[in-house]
Amino acid sequence: MKTIFALVDCNNFYVSCERVFDPSLAGRPVVVLSNNDGNVVARSNEAKALGVPFAAPAHECAPLVKRHNMAVFSSNYALYGDMSQRVMSIVAGFAPEMEIYSIDEAFLSLGDLAGVDPLDYAARIRETVRRWTGIPVSVGIAPTKTLAKLANRLAKRDPACGGVLALDGRSDLDSILDGVATGDVWGVGPRYSAMLARHGIRTARELRDASDAFVRKRMTVTGLRTVHELRGRSCIELEGAAPPKKGIVSSRSFGRPVVELAELSEAVASYTARAAEKLRCQRSAASLMCVFVSTNPFRDDPQYYNIITRRLPAPTADTAELIRHARADLERIYRPGFRYKKTGVFLSEIVPADSLQLDLFAAAEPSEERARLMATVDIINARLGRGAVYYAAEGVRKAWRMRQERLSRRFTTRWDELPVAVAG
Amino acid sequence: MQTMNDRARSAISEIYACAGTAGPALPFLLASIAAGFPSPADDYIDRMLDLNEFLVRHPAATFFVRVAGESMIDAGIHPGDILIVDRSIEPADDRIVIAALNGELTVKRIRMESGRICLAPENPRFPAIEITPDMQFEVWGVVCHVIHRV
């Protein structure tokens, strides 16, 4: 049976989240900065119109803030994560199957829609999400995921679409595909599009009409799947929920260069604690741990990078044990006299925690008590907010922490940061 | 001596529980199971009442908003109260709403009559606001409940 795919994508998602709770941002240019307030990662349409490029360094925005009343925010992941969950749970109600593709994008498999007009259906999804959450989304509908992605892109580009576009049963599909560069097709990276250009293939239509033999030879079977999808034959299925992660990285850049071992050590302990929490959250334990440090390669400073790997005595998710090892490892790779930009831990060879439950009873340590302590820490932090209880090794002041000077409030996840309505 | 005995007893009850439970490890470790006779109420245990179930019909569309100001006092809405706002509800005449008005969130009773929209306070000391085309106005959500500390 034929199925129809939809791609639902939030427009300028981070900016839209900020606007829901601050109506004074409507119509103003708004940008959101990356971790550490480094670069622009989200732009309102007004900011795009002013010519702010994606990934522009934050300091280049300063003149626009004055001249055009532009608003600048640090990334507020507590807020964006909560709003994302809301959007996804609403969208899930519209389809028998959904694949969450990123924080602001989801593929839907709509079945055959039982005679409902696809554009009407797309408009209903869009209107419901906008009303329930305040987040504007675009919806692209097509017989394959690749074409749905393309439809979404076109829906965003052309305001006349009203945020929805269906590429299903369109007689003008050829001319639509003529207007799309190969590099804008899902799964065709810059290297492939350069190669295709050398063979005279520049548009999505030309790629669709290329021979199977050529595509298979130059772009492997993965590229061939993309081309078949452009022809309307669905080859890429929805992917289900992600399996437990095979490796967990916890790492951040510092707000300022860090020189002292004591400060580095706090940061490593803090990231280790976060990684251990992630491990326990997916009910697993790690057997291997890497700790790394690095200076800033973009600065004209003496450079140093090192990584150390340790096999743990037994798989564990115990924060205290992991911190103890991580700090010892850090001391072995730390060299004085460098200005460090980044450190982190990587946990791998991950196994399910319940599979080692029996071993715990045999262990010399009172492991049940440790596991109960960890579970209690996680519950407290879930209830009272991240960092409500933490290991002293993580440091109290955390002066190395990343810069987030323009953070909005966590409107939806903290009782003391709720939006305020004026009764005046 | 007393404490060692206690520890031994609690350890034993946990091993029993492990043998009988095939479920995931962490929740089980949190449960402490008392040895002895089962409570006669065990068969009658009902589920606990959940305020979310009572107050939040559409979790994805529900937001909590803090009140500042006194213009809605006669409707039982005081400064510092928390409003439970459901954005999925269609705003209708006479409902209390959160409106985005000229760049600010405000709470008022909405009156919609013959194409005219008015935001009415619930306190005689404050004036009603009639919405005119030059205003930036949108209904943000419909207020369903007030959480008020007494």
Side-chain angles (χ1 to χ4, degrees):
Chain A
M1 193 184 71
K2 191 184 141 187
T3 183
I4 298 174
F5 290 95
L7 177 69
V8 180
D9 187 6
C10 303
N11 300 350
N12 310 329
F13 180 57
Y14 296 173
V15 168
S16 298
C17 290
E18 301 290 349
R19 278 184 168 163
V20 170
F21 300 95
D22 184 353
S24 76
L25 298 172
R28 274 174 68 188
V30 180
V31 296
V32 176
L33 304 177
S34 59
N35 276 342
N36 232 347
D37 290 353
N39 300 77
V40 171
V41 288
R43 302 163 292 162
S44 70
N45 290 345
E46 296 80 3
K48 289 175 190 171
L50 286 176
V52 179
F54 183 79
H59 61 86
E60 282 180 17
C61 298
L64 296 170
V65 172
K66 278 197 196 119
R67 203 174 323 137
H68 297 282
N69 192 23
M70 188 162 82
V72 180
F73 290 95
S74 305
S75 286
N76 185 342
Y77 285 111
L79 177 64
Y80 309 155
D82 178 75
M83 293 303 280
S84 170
Q85 275 182 20
R86 290 166 182 266
V87 170
M88 295 305 171
S89 76
I90 293 165
V91 171
F94 280 91
E97 279 182 82
M98 171 167 87
E99 171 192 345
I100 296 176
Y101 186 67
S102 70
I103 191 169
D104 57 357
E105 272 178 288
F107 282 107
L108 306 179
S109 168
L110 299 175
D112 64 359
L113 270 181
V116 178
D117 179 59
L119 267 187
D120 287 349
Y121 202 69
R124 247 169 68 200
I125 297 175
R126 180 179 146 83
E127 182 48 28
T128 306
V129 174
R130 200 206 59 77
R131 232 192 44 209
W132 288 34
T133 65
I135 302 289
V137 300
S138 302
V139 185
I141 289 196
T144 70
K145 281 171 82 176
T146 304
L147 285 172
K149 189 106 175 150
L150 211 148
N152 190 293
R153 194 185 174 87
L154 297 172
K156 274 213 187 74
R157 195 194 288 175
D158 183 1
C161 291
V164 293
L165 182 72
L167 286 181
D168 193 38
R170 298 256 311 218
S171 52
D172 56 346
L173 190 59
D174 283 4
S175 69
I176 290 175
L177 294 182
D178 266 334
V180 176
T182 57
D184 288 342
V185 174
W186 188 43
V188 180
R191 206 176 302 167
Y192 274 144
S193 74
M195 180 277 294
L196 289 167
R198 284 197 299 277
H199 289 84
I201 297 170
R202 291 191 167 78
T203 71
R205 181 184 175 182
E206 287 163 349
L207 178 60
R208 181 198 66 184
D209 297 340
S211 82
D212 280 10
F214 168 83
V215 174
R216 184 194 293 271
K217 186 170 163 224
R218 295 291 181 157
M219 302 172 71
T220 77
V221 69
T222 314
L224 191 60
R225 233 176 287 165
T226 298
V227 170
H228 282 184
E229 286 235 320
L230 284 176
R231 294 174 192 161
R233 220 192 85 203
S234 174
C235 316
I236 307 174
E237 294 297 312
L238 289 195
E239 283 171 30
K245 293 196 181 86
K246 296 280 177 241
I248 289 175
V249 186
S250 179
S251 159
R252 288 279 160 76
S253 294
F254 298 130
R256 53 166 172 75
V258 166
V259 178
E260 299 299 327
L261 175 63
E263 270 193 292
L264 269 181
S265 186
E266 281 181 15
V268 163
S270 174
Y271 300 147
T272 305
R274 180 77 189 105
E277 189 189 315
K278 285 186 194 168
L279 266 183
R280 294 193 297 271
C281 184
Q282 60 172 37
R283 299 188 179 291
S284 44
S287 319
L288 210 64
M289 177 168 68
C290 303
V291 176
F292 59 89
V293 293
S294 139
T295 50
N296 185 353
F298 300 106
R299 278 186 66 119
D300 203 12
D301 286 340
Q303 297 290 315
Y304 175 64
Y305 171 87
N306 207 345
I307 183 164
I308 181 166
T309 302
R310 167 197 292 263
R311 177 160 297 279
L312 298 158
T316 182
D318 185 310
T319 302
E321 187 186 351
L322 288 168
I323 285 181
R324 196 170 66 239
H325 294 312
R327 282 167 41 125
D329 289 346
L330 174 71
E331 280 176 35
R332 288 169 60 193
I333 56 174
Y334 171 79
R335 300 282 176 277
F338 291 100
R339 293 158 64 84
Y340 293 94
K341 174 68 179 170
K342 193 170 186 172
T343 180
V345 298
F346 175 62
L347 300 173
S348 59
E349 294 198 10
I350 285 169
V351 297
D354 40 3
S355 71
L356 51 266
Q357 199 61 39
L358 284 176
D359 298 345
L360 286 181
F361 291 103
E365 272 183 83
S367 300
E368 317 98 282
E369 279 173 26
R370 302 287 320 165
R372 202 180 310 166
L373 173 64
M374 288 300 112
T376 307
V377 165
D378 291 343
I379 288 169
I380 293 173
N381 283 335
R383 210 168 284 169
L384 302 179
R386 179 160 297 156
V389 286
Y390 56 91
Y391 279 82
E394 298 172 43
V396 177
R397 222 161 45 85
K398 296 185 167 70
W400 42 267
R401 194 158 40 191
M402 68 172 172
R403 206 175 321 152
Q404 289 184 307
E405 285 167 358
R406 300 167 176 278
L407 208 50
S408 54
R409 296 208 303 278
R410 291 164 292 188
F411 297 106
T412 58
T413 53
R414 296 289 176 132
W415 289 113
D416 54 352
E417 299 185 26
L418 295 180
V420 171
V422 178
Chain B
M1 211 50 209
Q2 183 66 40
T3 46
M4 267 188 68
N5 272 340
D6 283 347
R7 196 177 296 165
R9 202 180 305 141
S10 78
I12 286 165
S13 71
E14 278 164 12
I15 290 168
Y16 271 126
C18 184
T21 317
L26 284 182
F28 146 64
L29 284 169
L30 279 173
S32 88
I33 289 137
F37 291 103
S39 157
D42 270 358
D43 288 345
Y44 299 93
I45 284 180
D46 210 339
R47 65 207 179 93
M48 291 214 285
L49 292 176
D50 179 3
L51 266 180
N52 278 306
E53 186 190 329
F54 187 66
L55 298 173
V56 180
R57 298 271 315 266
H58 307 100
T62 299
F63 295 86
F64 300 120
V65 176
R66 179 86 59 183
V67 179
E70 301 187 335
S71 76
M72 293 299 284
I73 271 185
D74 290 348
I77 296 175
H78 298 76
D81 286 358
I82 293 174
L83 305 174
I84 302 181
V85 180
D86 188 338
R87 293 184 53 118
S88 72
I89 297 175
E90 191 77 44
D93 181 41
D94 217 33
R95 298 236 29 182
I96 294 174
V97 300
I98 303 290
L101 181 64
N102 294 334
E104 193 178 73
L105 295 178
T106 181
V107 53
K108 289 286 183 305
R109 195 180 289 282
I110 193 166
R111 306 256 192 237
M112 299 191 279
E113 275 170 66
S114 51
R116 286 165 52 162
I117 299 176
C118 182
L119 295 179
E122 290 278 352
N123 181 338
R125 293 194 292 117
F126 291 83
I129 303 163
E130 180 159 353
I131 303 303
T132 53
D134 59 307
M135 289 178 177
Q136 234 180 39
F137 168 77
E138 192 187 19
V139 175
W140 193 89
V142 172
V143 177
C144 301
H145 304 276
V146 189
I147 303 176
H148 177 74
R149 193 185 289 273
V150 292

